[in-house]
Structures are given as C-alpha cells and as structure tokens.
Amino acid sequence: MADLDYKVIVGLEIHVHLATKTKIFCGCELAYGDTANTHVCPVCLGMPGSLPVMNKTALEYSILTGLALNCEIAKFTKWDRKSYYYPDLPKNYQISQYDLPFSEHGYIEIPLESGETKKIRILRAHLEEDAGKNTHTLGNFSAIDLNRAGTPLLEIVTEPDMNSAEEVGALARELQRIVRYLGVSEGDMQKGHMRFEPNINLHITKNGEVFKTPISEVKNLNSFRAVERSVAYEVRRQLAAFEETGVTMQMGNKATYGWDDDKQMTVLQREKEEAHDYRYFPDPDLVPVDIDDAWLGEIKGRLCELPIQMQVRFAKEYGLSDYDAGVLTADRATAEFFDGTVKLGADAKRVCNLLTQTGLKLANEKGVSVDQLRISMENLAKLAKMADGGDVSASAATTIFEEMAENGGDPAQIAEAKNLVQKSDAGEIEALVDAVLAENAKAVEDAKNNPKKGKKAMGFLMGQVMQKSKGQANPKIVSQLLNQKLNV
Amino acid sequence: METLKELRDDIAAGKTTSVAAVEAFFARIDQFEPTVGAYLSLCKERALEQAATVDAKIATGEAVGELAGVPVAVKDNMCTTFDATTCGSKILENFHAPYNAHVIEKLNAADAVIIGKCNMDEFAMGSSTENSGLKQTTNPWDASCVPGGSSGGSVAAVAAGLCAASLGSDTGGSIRQPASFCGVVGLKPTYGRISRYGLVAYGSSLDQIGPLTHNVTDAALMLNIIAGHDERDSTSVPEDVAPLKDYLAELEIPFEELKIATVPQLNEGADALVQKAVSEALAVYKSLGAEIVEIEMPHFDYAISAYYVIATAEASSNLARYDGVHYGHRTADPKDYIDVYSKSRDEAFGAEVKRRIMLGTYALSSGYYDAYYLKALKVRNLIRSDFTKAFEQADCLMLPVSPTTAFKIGEKTDDPLQMYLADVYTIAVNLAGVPGISIPAGFDENNLPIGLQIISEAFSEDKLLRIARMHEKETNWHTQKPNL
Amino acid sequence: MTTKIDEAQVRRVALLGRLELSDEEVAQFSGQLSDIVTYIEKLNELDTDNVEPLAHCLPVHNVLREDVPKPSLTNDQALANAPARENEYFKMPKVLGDNSGA
C-alpha cells in the first residue's frame, strides 16, 4: 500500500443510563440482572390506557450533564414520539426529543497523550427512554425482557472532531469520568450504562485532491477497548477499500457495522442507510417543560469542578506529573479528598504518594473510596506534615496511614504509641554520634581519609548511630552531624 | 324509569336495595339486550356481590360513597381488572388489564356498582358503533337505526334503561352525537378535567371521558364523582389551575343575563327538523330572558380536515402497540417476526381502524408532515381562537349536535368521507379542548330524538350544566323514553 | 375519482404502519384515502404563515414526578396476556438485527 496522506474523522453518539431510582416514565425501579420482566408495569409494558409521567430527577440529571458539557440549556423543551417497530420497544415508538432537545452546542475537553487537552464540540444532548432486550436463547425464537425498557437514557452527539482512535477512547473515558463526578450515572460499562456509536470516515489527499471515504457507523459498542479498536479497524479497512476501489462518499452510502469482538473486526450490517421514516411528532401524553432561570440556577449549584480541570490544576499548581494527576482525578472522591488535604497545608507530592501508593490500594481492597477510609483530611494533612518535618520516616508514615485507615485515630498519637517518632533533638543525637565516633576509630579514619572506603565507612557509622537510637533518630540530622564532625 | 340520583337516594334511604336495583336492571337486560346489544360484557355475579356489600353497609349505617349501590356501566375502552377490556376490537378481545382506570377507581370509591362494559366503535373510531369488531348495537328508539357512536353501547344502555347511567368517551363527538341520537344527556368535559389514565387512547390530545345520563342533574352528579386531578396523567389539570366545583350545588339557579351565541350560517347545514329544534330551544332561552347573539366562526368549516389529520396521526402512533408481541391477538402461524406484526394487525383490525392508521401514518410520514400534520396544528390554533372570541361575546354557544337524526344501519358504511362529514358540529369542540353537552331537544318525523349542543369555555362545566338545566326545566324531551 | 394516493403510496404507508393489506384493500384504500386527503387539503385555503401550531390546549407545563419507586407487576401479571411466553420471557419468532432506533 502506497503511503497516503489522510485524516481520520470521527463523531460519536453516546447513550448513557442515568442513575435514577426509577424509570423515566413510571415508578418501576431500575435493576440490572434481575429476573426478566419483574421490573415492569402497565406504563413500561406499553399497555393500553397507560400514560407516561416524566421523572424529575432524570431531567435534572440530564440538564446537569448538559451544563458540564458546556451546552446551552433550552428554556423550552418537549418530548416527541419516534416510531419504529421492534419487539423490545413495547409501544413501537420511543419517547425521545426531536427538534427541541433540552441542550445543544457544547463541548467536552479531553486529555491528550501530550498532556494537552482538546475541545470536542457537542452537537446536542437529549433525554429519551431505553428499550428492553431481545435475547436469542431459544433457537428459532427470541426471548424478550422488558426490565430495561424505560430506563432514562441520555443521548449525546458530538461533532466529527476526533482524529484518531485514541481521541475517541479519550473522549469515552472522559465522559465516563464526568458522569461519575456528577453522580448522574454509575458509568458501569459491564452493565451497559454507556454505549458508543462512532461514525468514521477518512479525508484522503491524493495528487492534491481530497477524497472522502463513505461513513461507517459502528453500533452499540460497550467497552472502551471495542470503541478504540473498531475505529482503528475501520481506518485500516477504509484505507484499503479506497486503495482497491477508489470508493468515495456519496449520498446514501453510509453503512452500518457491528463489532465482532472475537474476530476483532467490524461486520457489515446494512449497506445503505435504510429509508427510516420515524414519523416524529410531539407526544400528546406529555406536556412541555419550561426551564426557568431559578431552576437552572439551582441545578447549576450542583455542578462540581470537572475532572479535566482538576487534573490540569493538580499538574500545574501542585507540580504533579500528568500520570499522578490522572490517577488522583480518576474519581471525584479521591480528587476532592486529595485537594482538600493539600488545601490544609500539606505537601501535594507527599499526600499524592500516600494516597496513590497506599490509600487507593486499601480503599480498593475494602471496596470503598479513599474518603470512606477512617482518615479525615485533617489527620492526613497532619501525617503528611509529620513526614515532611522528619517526625516520622516515610515507611513509618505508611504504617501510620494503614493504622489510621483501619482504626482511625490521630497520627501523632499512633506514632507515639507505636514508637515511630523520630528523634530530631540535635543535642540528644549529638551525644549518640560522639559515642559512635569514639567507639569506631577505624571507620572514622576511613571516612575522613580513605576515598575508596569513605562512603562505605560513612554508611557504617550512620547505621551505628541509628542502631544506638533504636531507629528513632532522624536520619537527616544524623547525617548532617556526621558530615559536620568528620568535615566531609 | 328512575334517574341516577333518584335511585341513589332511594337506596340510601332504604326505599329499595342495591341488590334489588341490580336485579331489576338485569331483568331488563335479559329482556331487551338481545335487541339493543349495548354490552360487550356483563358481570352479574360480581355486581350482586358488590350490591350486597353496599346494602349491608347501608343497613348498619356505615358510611357509603355518593353513588352507593347504583348500577352503572362503562364504555369498554376503560381498563378494568374484572372482565376483558376490548375496545370493541378483535385485537384486544381477550385482553385483561392488570389495573383499573382512574375513573373506575373513582366509581369504586363512590360505591357504584359496575354491571357491564359497553359496545363501541373499534378503538372509538366511528359515529355509529357499526365499526365494533365484536357486536352490533341498535338504537333503542328504532332497532333498524344506529345508536350513533362511538359510545353507542354506553348511550343505548342508558336510553334503554339497562343501567342508571354510564361513562363514554369523546374524541370528536363520541359522547354527544350518540346522546343526541338516543335522546339522553351526554357531557364532554374540558380536556384535562378527567384523568385519561386507563382510558385506551385513540387521539390523546382530544380524548375525554364523560357521563351519559337521563338528565342534567345526573350528569352533574356523575361529574362530581369522576372529575379531578390525577398525577398519573400528565394532561390532567391540577386543581389550582382549574378549581373543581360541586356541580350539583348551584345547578338549580338559573344563569342571569345569559348571552347565547349562535352561528346561523352553520345551522343551515343541518336537516330542517334539526334546525327547527335548535330554534325552539333558543326560543325557550329567550323566554327565560336570554339574549341571543349571532356570531361567525370563520374557521369552523376546517375542523373536520384538521381533526382527521390530528386524530389519525395520534391514533396511528397510539395503535402501533397492538402488534401481537406482548398482549392481544397474534396471527396463528407466523413465518417470522415481521409476520407477527403485519399479519396480526391485518387480521384483527377492522377496516375503519386500518383506514385511520393509514391516514395518520401518511400525514406524519416524511415529506408530508408539514403539509398535513403541522398545517392541521396551526388550523387547530385558529379554530381555538374562534371559540375564544365567541366566549368574549357570549356565555355559551348553541349548535346542533349532528346534522341528522339517527340513520339506518348500513346506510353510510360504504362512504367513510360522508361519515366523517357528519361530525361537523362536534369535532371543533375537541380541537379547542372546551366542554360541550348534548341535551334532548325534540324529535323528528320518525320519532327519533334530536339533541341540542351547548358549548362553553374551558373548565366552566358548572356554568354549562346550569344553562343546560334551564332548558330541561322548561321542557319534557328528556322524560320521553323509547318504547322497546 | 382522483388517485392522489396511488397504490404504491398505499403500500409504502401500509409498510410503515405494519399492515399486510390484501390487493383488494390496497385498491380500496387508494380510492378512499385519495378522497379524504383531497377533502383535507381544504386546509390550504387558510394562510397560516404567522400561526403557531397548537399541539395541546392545556394551560399546564412542567408536569414532573418525584423519583420514588412504586410497586411493579409480578412476572405472571406481566405475562398474563402474552400470546406466547417462555419461562419469564415474552416469546417471539427469532428477531433479526439490532434495535436501530435507540
């Protein structure tokens, strides 16, 4: 294949399950993996005579997400029926939003490999109901479970602003982080809380002319890996197809693909975009919604600092590496716990190390978030300051952290009780140093005058002092005193 | 024949019992139902049990509801946990709802005894009840004539004395027109006044449940029972927006300085005897001191067009769920899942339902939406403004209900458009969402009843009923009963 | 009689509405729907350029419910009307493809 100059163009459609207690239009509780058709009622079964009533929390979660995605929130919004026949769609229409979605024209900032961020424009976000599930476990028959039918679903559509599989993956992950920060979705990929549909094509420059390949839409991807790999696969496939046939985009040659995870390839589902005729019209069973300033202001009050903003701030203000900043901002609880602790005057790097090296591991083992360990931000800050001030060693700090995580308590008291306090009293340490120097003339000699053995001798003397102090002398001070007395 | 209120009072006073009342109605049902065909299902045993319970409560002085022990009937598009809810359709012939409609709960709470569910045009689509997929109902005044529709069964049951009162539903005249054909009182309340929860939808932005009764007093009593906000219906209007009234309280007080609007130009479209009945009714009001104002309703003529776009568009979507997947009729031997849809629907829907699904689907389909559906919504706005202007000039509007009296069974079935055109006087009321009532106002040369339609502004049912009652007090049309 | 809605149109609409019409029905509907649509086009006599569409006559907006669970039906209640069931599921002839709408 000759090297072609090309640009990857990807837009993404994302469906996010909102973490409400009940479905969007009825009081059935959301449930994953429960017995089929036990979280259903006349409304979500689409029974004759049943009527939908909008879940306020679902709408507020949607608006909150729209705000976090920097969208304009409509003052007036309404619900429309989208008609198509499918056995997991009990009414054979989906209640969705057509021409007046509650939010439009935003952007999401995603982290790039380089440490920079990139803005991807959001075309719109709207609220709709999810369908049930067809399973194919009965040979020639399908089994239908409607437990999922009516789950509130936020559909987010981006502009085609992504230019690589990595960027698509970064957006997917960033969105997961955002919805989790906001608490509007658990964003659990395994449970299908987030589903992705990339639209992919290439702009190929050949002999000074730009050719656009036909757009592929890959349906229903539910892991980050599948999103990235399907995009990467489509890039290769479209390049090869262009090389072979020169096929370019025309009206109506957008094709729909599925992702075969076993074969790691996309599989053609429909050659041409079917002549869908969804017959949208305003749902007469629901009334429109006015979103006034007071309500919007109240929802705005629930916004938090976004993960990407925190990540950038941690790196910039606290001097953390991109990696550490990324780890600390993976979830909101950790990020806020870290940030709060640092704001109490603790050293950022020290707190970062305690949290990333010990805290996250412990929290993970216990299945809680770091702020749910038995350590307050105040006590963590105190511990960090103790370690920085030389009151305890780094390893002692870890021990104290573990003890606090398990049983709570004040770090100074724990250090005391466990004999982990370092002696920093220069006078007391000086006496020990003098004693050691007096007892080890040979080593003193080597340290002073033998360039070959000096370093080793110094280490030996250091060890002797530490031993005499039962490990409680502050090694920094010991080292200072030794250097001073031996003039090295 | 006792009215709802009389029977209610007699049972409450111990002059008769609910069991006796139920048995009396079933005796009449045994005798006349084979000819009238008002009911799709009857629940005698259940009714007698309920009646006995109410009787026992009354006997021991326990508190009972406002319709305690009174036998009533409901149109078969209201979901009940007893008996099937068929909507007059083969597709729901064996459908048993797992819940009760809001109005059924209200009737139960009032201790009314529901004795059966009434025949109707399939999914309430029709003006003669001939479109029922399950049964033929006849007009109690003349068995060769239709009872009107779509609430034909509910109306015939009241007119023939096969229940004390009933509930119907009105999307384009389906309460008022059959009430007029059978000489009973039929009230379509304001859209939003009564919860649609559990009413099987035809045209969701137009459908409204209402009472069918022997007289205006009974209509007020029934409205007292069923009106009110229901949080399960987003289109049910909260009471702070439209306060509820005790509709019986001021019913007997004539409306002073009553101003009635008429539209002479519109009346001309009706049969001569219908026009005469309307004029005579106006004369009655004049004699009571009312002032008659002649007005124009410039967009009224477009109501049928707008209605048959909007109602069918909504219906095409509302009826999409009848697909043989989760409930209802499924074709016997589907070769694939598409067959389940297309064959089940083709087999079980009647011609009128298919026609309206086709029309509504067409109006919403790509390339036609703006020209038909959107245009119809705009015209709907113009029609509503006609009413708004009318009510700035008068307290109410009086019109015929139907251009004709009851027609012969089979007379119009071949020409759906002609059937639609007969809805001319009732349809605009649904588009505007305002309340309308049909009251008995005369008879034609064949002794078939003629109705007068009175319309008032949204949520003014108290006024509407008072005005209707003024006419009733001066006339005896409502006391005439068919000779079965 | 006009054929405003010819048989091909009737078939297109019938497909959208999932009605498997017989040839006879198609012919009949073509005529009847053409008549009706011709009548409906009376609407075009009105200038509606500056008129807002009215989907609803209600004086109400913002009808929202609190996110509070209510009892669901039991599995047996949910499936009581099912034309065909398999264990806890509704049963259908094998469904092909993906839900293309959601």
Side-chain angles (χ1 to χ4, degrees):
Chain A
M1 192 191 295
D3 275 346
L4 283 174
D5 183 13
Y6 67 91
K7 190 173 182 188
V8 178
I9 310 286
V10 191
L12 205 49
E13 215 178 281
I14 309 123
H15 287 97
V16 182
H17 271 183
L18 297 177
T20 49
K21 291 192 193 75
T22 65
K23 293 185 177 183
I24 182 167
F25 296 122
C26 63
C28 288
E29 283 186 83
L30 299 187
Y32 294 85
D34 210 339
T35 307
N37 298 306
T38 55
H39 293 261
V40 291
C41 73
V43 176
C44 57
L45 286 171
M47 279 197 168
S50 66
L51 294 169
V53 184
M54 176 62 70
N55 182 332
K56 187 179 181 190
T57 304
L59 180 54
E60 292 188 337
Y61 279 3
S62 302
I63 295 171
L64 187 59
T65 312
L67 288 169
L69 297 177
N70 307 289
C71 287
E72 295 164 16
I73 306 298
K75 290 201 179 310
F76 176 90
T77 190
K78 68 178 174 73
W79 275 266
D80 301 287
R81 294 183 181 178
K82 175 183 182 177
S83 294
Y84 63 94
Y85 280 80
Y86 210 68
D88 62 13
L89 189 68
K91 302 184 296 295
N92 288 320
Y93 61 80
Q94 179 193 30
I95 303 177
S96 182
Q97 300 200 279
Y98 182 49
D99 54 337
L100 295 171
F102 76 86
S103 73
E104 287 182 286
H105 311 307
Y107 65 87
I108 175 172
E109 217 170 329
I110 62 167
L112 300 179
E113 290 284 321
S114 62
E116 306 280 291
T117 64
K118 176 176 175 178
K119 280 181 185 175
I120 308 294
R121 289 170 301 155
I122 304 287
L123 178 65
R124 59 182 275 161
H126 72 252
L127 179 57
E128 60 187 27
E129 59 178 334
D130 203 355
K133 264 185 189 167
N134 294 324
T135 56
H136 305 271
T137 50
L138 305 169
N140 280 329
F141 290 91
S142 289
I144 302 158
D145 171 15
L146 296 177
N147 280 350
R148 195 180 70 179
T151 301
L153 201 59
L154 181 62
E155 178 175 322
I156 300 164
V157 185
T158 79
E159 297 281 3
D161 287 352
M162 284 156 282
N163 303 112
S164 67
E166 291 73 26
E167 287 185 12
V168 178
L171 185 136
R173 289 187 180 86
E174 190 56 29
L175 187 65
Q176 184 195 44
R177 210 157 60 143
I178 291 173
V179 296
R180 286 179 168 175
Y181 263 56
L182 298 174
V184 300
S185 175
E186 290 169 41
D188 187 332
M189 308 296 283
Q190 241 98 51
K191 289 181 180 168
H193 289 168
M194 295 179 81
R195 307 199 293 268
F196 301 93
E197 288 174 8
N199 276 257
I200 308 143
N201 81 333
L202 306 176
H203 291 185
I204 300 172
T205 309
K206 193 178 177 186
N207 306 328
E209 209 183 323
V210 177
F211 299 89
K212 297 177 181 178
T213 57
I215 295 175
S216 311
E217 180 174 15
V218 188
K219 303 292 277 185
N220 263 328
L221 300 165
N222 51 16
S223 79
F224 295 135
R225 212 180 59 163
V227 176
E228 287 171 329
R229 291 192 178 175
S230 66
V231 172
Y233 182 86
E234 268 303 305
V235 170
R236 293 196 302 277
R237 190 194 62 73
Q238 291 188 16
L239 267 181
F242 177 76
E243 292 266 277
E244 239 173 73
T245 64
V247 62
T248 58
M249 181 161 67
Q250 293 138 22
M251 280 295 286
N253 64 349
K254 173 173 166 176
T256 304
Y257 287 80
W259 175 246
D260 186 326
D261 210 47
D262 294 328
K263 293 183 184 151
Q264 291 285 303
M265 61 186 287
T266 58
V267 183
L268 186 65
Q269 286 182 341
R270 282 196 300 271
E271 184 73 64
K272 270 189 184 168
E273 189 67 351
E274 252 176 42
H276 281 306
D277 190 342
Y278 290 128
R279 286 159 283 138
Y280 283 101
F281 77 105
D283 191 331
D285 288 333
L286 291 161
V287 296
V289 173
D290 298 311
I291 304 168
D292 63 19
D293 290 345
W295 189 17
L296 192 59
E298 198 255 299
I299 297 169
K300 265 185 190 154
R302 295 184 226 165
L303 271 177
C304 59
E305 190 178 5
L306 292 181
I308 190 76
Q309 292 164 349
M310 282 187 130
Q311 185 177 345
V312 168
R313 182 164 64 82
F314 288 179
K316 215 166 128 185
E317 282 181 21
Y318 298 153
L320 302 185
S321 68
D322 281 337
Y323 177 79
D324 280 342
V327 171
L328 286 171
T329 52
D331 69 90
R332 180 175 169 182
T334 307
E336 289 185 345
F337 190 71
F338 165 78
D339 198 31
T341 306
V342 173
K343 281 180 174 154
L344 291 171
D347 177 66
K349 188 68 193 166
R350 175 76 64 185
V351 178
C352 170
N353 288 344
L354 283 168
L355 284 178
T356 57
Q357 287 162 18
T358 311
L360 288 173
K361 197 178 91 211
L362 287 177
N364 197 31
E365 280 166 14
K366 292 179 190 295
V368 299
S369 55
V370 286
D371 61 316
Q372 289 167 322
L373 295 170
R374 302 185 62 183
I375 307 175
S376 67
M377 286 194 275
E378 287 73 18
N379 280 338
L380 179 56
K382 197 167 172 183
L383 176 61
K385 285 178 196 166
M386 283 164 61
D388 278 327
D391 297 335
V392 294
S393 68
S395 69
T398 302
T399 308
I400 295 167
F401 189 100
E402 285 166 352
E403 171 61 23
M404 286 160 72
E406 199 60 45
N407 300 312
D410 177 86
Q413 283 169 10
I414 293 169
E416 202 72 50
K418 289 190 175 273
N419 266 332
L420 295 169
V421 181
Q422 295 188 137
K423 293 206 163 79
S424 299
D425 175 9
E428 200 178 320
I429 294 173
E430 195 172 359
L432 294 175
V433 170
D434 289 344
V436 166
L437 294 181
E439 287 162 19
N440 297 282
K442 174 79 176 95
V444 170
E445 176 57 27
D446 284 350
K448 275 186 166 168
N449 301 319
N450 189 336
K452 271 188 187 169
K453 293 186 178 171
K455 213 171 179 181
K456 201 179 163 191
M458 199 67 174
F460 171 78
L461 292 169
M462 180 94 192
Q464 290 298 305
V465 178
M466 291 308 287
Q467 210 174 9
K468 256 194 173 19
S469 78
K470 300 195 179 81
Q472 289 182 352
N474 185 338
K476 239 189 216 163
I477 294 174
V478 176
S479 161
Q480 268 171 21
L481 284 168
L482 279 173
N483 287 340
Q484 200 182 309
K485 299 213 176 240
L486 298 171
N487 281 323
V488 294
Chain B
M1 204 177 287
E2 274 190 310
T3 68
L4 179 74
K5 187 162 177 293
E6 286 162 0
L7 186 54
R8 193 269 312 256
D9 292 345
D10 284 356
I11 293 171
K15 287 185 188 164
T16 184
T17 63
S18 176
V19 168
V22 170
E23 275 171 348
F25 279 115
F26 272 99
R28 285 186 66 87
I29 287 167
D30 288 343
Q31 198 181 350
F32 301 117
E33 172 64 7
T35 318
V36 179
Y39 287 99
L40 287 173
S41 58
L42 287 158
C43 42
K44 188 174 181 180
E45 254 176 64
R46 182 185 167 280
L48 283 170
E49 267 171 45
Q50 277 196 332
T53 308
V54 174
D55 284 340
K57 279 192 193 174
I58 292 173
T60 57
E62 221 180 296
V64 288
E66 274 193 80
L67 286 181
V70 188
V72 297
V74 298
K75 191 174 179 177
D76 205 19
N77 58 354
M78 298 170 204
C79 287
T80 52
T81 52
F82 56 89
D83 289 341
T85 299
T86 68
C87 278
S89 181
K90 287 199 171 76
I91 213 157
L92 287 178
E93 196 168 1
N94 299 308
F95 175 72
H96 287 79
Y99 72 108
N100 280 323
H102 180 78
V103 290
I104 302 297
E105 289 175 355
K106 289 281 195 180
L107 288 175
N108 286 342
D111 288 321
V113 177
I114 299 171
I115 60 172
K117 302 186 75 180
C118 298
N119 195 23
M120 56 185 284
D121 282 304
E122 185 177 8
F123 286 102
M125 296 178 184
S127 315
S128 66
T129 314
E130 291 167 289
N131 296 331
S132 169
L134 303 174
K135 197 167 195 172
Q136 172 86 63
T137 301
T138 62
N139 191 313
W141 293 87
D142 179 345
S144 70
C145 288
V146 301
S150 66
S151 309
S154 296
V155 171
V158 174
L162 309 182
C163 64
S166 69
L167 293 181
S169 68
D170 190 317
T171 307
S174 285
I175 285 175
R176 291 159 289 155
Q177 183 257 21
S180 147
F181 278 17
C182 296
V184 303
V185 171
L187 170 68
K188 183 209 91 79
T190 310
Y191 183 80
R193 184 50 102 188
I194 293 163
S195 170
R196 294 185 296 118
Y197 188 75
L199 171 69
V200 181
Y202 156 29
S204 309
S205 76
L206 305 156
D207 296 340
Q208 189 64 191
I209 292 170
L212 291 147
T213 55
H214 289 299
N215 62 23
V216 175
T217 306
D218 285 0
L221 174 58
M222 201 68 150
L223 186 61
N224 272 351
I225 305 295
I226 60 174
H229 179 62
D230 173 17
E231 61 181 21
R232 296 168 299 185
D233 174 5
S234 307
T235 65
S236 148
V237 175
E239 279 149 36
D240 58 343
V241 176
L244 275 180
K245 302 268 170 63
D246 176 351
Y247 298 100
L248 281 170
E250 298 186 336
L251 191 62
E252 298 301 324
I253 305 170
F255 203 88
E256 279 175 40
E257 294 178 36
L258 176 63
K259 261 192 186 175
I260 300 167
T262 64
V263 193
Q265 197 194 340
L266 282 180
N267 293 351
E268 284 163 21
D271 284 357
L273 284 171
V274 172
Q275 289 191 47
K276 184 166 163 269
V278 173
S279 309
E280 283 175 6
L282 289 171
V284 168
Y285 281 102
K286 245 181 176 164
S287 73
L288 294 170
E291 182 189 341
I292 313 293
V293 198
E294 292 188 356
I295 64 160
E296 279 179 23
M297 300 279 278
H299 304 103
F300 206 95
D301 265 354
Y302 300 91
I304 291 171
S305 297
Y307 173 88
Y308 276 97
V309 172
I310 294 166
T312 61
E314 293 177 0
S316 71
S317 166
N318 286 332
L319 270 62
R321 69 190 67 194
Y322 307 110
D323 61 1
V325 180
H326 309 103
Y327 50 78
H329 170 77
R330 179 185 288 192
T331 189
D333 197 16
K335 69 175 193 297
D336 56 27
Y337 83 99
I338 301 288
D339 257 14
V340 172
Y341 296 140
S342 312
K343 288 220 169 97
S344 302
R345 288 163 67 78
D346 188 54
E347 288 165 7
F349 282 145
E352 184 58 33
V353 169
K354 287 183 196 172
R355 198 151 38 231
R356 295 199 194 189
I357 290 174
M358 293 288 290
L359 184 56
T361 303
Y362 176 77
L364 288 175
S365 69
S366 171
Y368 299 93
Y369 181 92
D370 286 0
Y372 296 104
Y373 182 71
L374 195 65
K375 182 82 183 179
L377 291 188
K378 291 178 169 190
V379 172
R380 181 178 191 177
N381 206 352
L382 293 174
I383 290 166
R384 186 174 67 161
S385 64
D386 276 5
F387 280 96
T388 309
K389 282 174 198 151
F391 297 132
E392 283 164 7
Q393 300 167 70
D395 297 299
C396 67
L397 175 65
M398 288 191 190
L399 292 175
V401 181
S402 170
T404 70
T405 51
F407 46 86
K408 295 286 181 196
I409 290 168
E411 188 183 324
K412 292 190 179 180
T413 39
D414 289 341
D415 193 343
L417 181 57
Q418 286 313 307
M419 192 81 103
Y420 297 173
L421 296 178
D423 297 338
V424 58
Y425 295 116
T426 49
I427 258 173
V429 171
N430 299 77
L431 290 171
V434 297
I437 192 169
S438 171
I439 56 172
F443 288 89
D444 74 359
E445 68 276 24
N446 299 314
N447 201 36
L448 288 168
I450 300 171
L452 168 75
Q453 185 177 209
I454 315 172
I455 303 156
S456 64
E457 73 261 31
F459 303 107
S460 68
E461 287 87 353
D462 51 334
K463 178 170 82 176
L464 184 66
L465 289 162
R466 269 172 74 190
I467 296 170
R469 179 70 185 130
M470 288 165 71
H471 176 268
E472 194 178 72
K473 277 198 266 192
E474 300 299 315
T475 59
N476 63 1
W477 304 116
H478 65 287
T479 60
Q480 318 273 312
K481 294 300 157 194
N483 190 10
L484 286 162
Chain C
M1 186 191 285
T2 56
T3 47
K4 199 155 184 57
I5 301 183
D6 62 19
E7 296 195 2
Q9 282 273 46
V10 171
R11 287 182 203 281
R12 173 186 76 90
V13 175
L15 180 67
L16 282 175
R18 294 293 186 276
L19 289 169
E20 190 176 290
L21 302 181
S22 65
D23 290 347
E24 211 173 275
E25 283 175 309
V26 170
Q28 197 185 27
F29 281 152
S30 170
Q32 290 175 341
L33 293 173
S34 295
D35 286 353
I36 295 165
V37 167
T38 304
Y39 176 81
I40 284 171
E41 286 182 349
K42 191 177 159 69
L43 293 174
N44 294 330
E45 294 168 9
L46 294 173
D47 177 2
T48 53
D49 284 353
N50 298 311
V51 182
E52 283 296 310
L54 179 71
H56 243 294
C57 300
L58 282 176
V60 225
H61 280 188
N62 296 34
V63 177
L64 302 161
R65 77 183 163 82
E66 297 303 321
D67 186 23
V68 178
K70 297 255 169 72
S72 296
L73 296 174
T74 64
N75 182 261
D76 276 338
Q77 285 175 316
L79 295 174
N81 286 288
R85 63 181 286 185
E86 182 86 17
N87 302 320
E88 297 87 24
Y89 294 87
F90 295 97
K91 188 179 172 186
M92 268 289 271
K94 196 177 180 79
V95 177
L96 302 172
D98 229 351
N99 183 331
S100 54

